[in-house]
């Protein structure tokens, strides 16, 4: 509901609405959300994430609900906000700050 209200306000004010993105395609994985494709100029790539990295948490909370949970959590933010993603790459764990990009839609 909050997201819909924000979009409605943007449409009324600007005639267009933007939504936040990390610049990656995702799919559910057994331990989180796998990045299946990354926009080389997008926020995920700029933060150092790579294809096949598995996102396991966002802002200190586990991503137990899969890609739907990750997408919904990101969509509650605005372009330019920063989120902290926990990830697994092979046998290594890491954490990155991602400044969310935006798309019109």
């Amino acid at each position: 509901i909050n997201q819909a209200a924000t979009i409605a306000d943007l449409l009324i004010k600007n005639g267009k609405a933007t939504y936040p993105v990390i610049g990656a395609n995702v799919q559910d994985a057994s331990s989180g959300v796998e990045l299946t494709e990354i926009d080389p100029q997008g926020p995920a790539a700029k933060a150092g994430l790579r294809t096949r990295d598995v996102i396991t948490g966002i802002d200190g909370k586990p991503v137990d609900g899969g890609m739907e949970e990750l997408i919904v959590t990101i969509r509650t933010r605005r372009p330019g906000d920063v989120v902290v993603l926990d990830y697994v790459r092979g046998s290594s764990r890491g954490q990155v700050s991602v400044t969310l990009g935006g798309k019109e839609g």
Side-chain angles (χ1 to χ4, degrees):
I1 292 173
N2 291 339
Q3 181 183 358
T6 299
I7 289 171
D9 289 342
L10 288 169
L11 287 171
I12 291 167
K13 184 177 179 181
N14 304 322
K16 60 183 178 178
T18 58
Y19 59 93
V21 296
I22 63 170
N25 292 338
V26 298
Q27 70 181 14
D28 286 327
S30 61
S31 59
V33 179
E34 181 180 0
L35 303 179
T36 58
E37 185 178 341
I38 294 182
D39 173 356
Q41 303 303 316
K46 289 177 183 176
L49 292 169
R50 299 181 192 164
T51 302
R52 292 191 216 104
D53 285 350
V54 176
I55 305 302
T56 58
I58 182 167
D59 290 335
K61 297 179 182 176
V63 182
D64 296 330
M67 66 183 206
E68 183 175 324
E69 181 181 356
L70 178 67
I71 292 168
V72 167
T73 302
I74 289 170
R75 292 281 175 97
T76 63
R77 308 295 176 21
R78 297 296 314 138
D81 287 352
V82 176
V83 295
V84 177
L85 300 179
D86 299 315
Y87 68 94
V88 174
R89 179 180 297 149
S91 61
S92 301
R93 294 186 171 276
Q95 189 177 70
V96 293
S97 295
V98 178
T99 301
L100 299 174
K103 285 206 172 202
E104 285 186 22

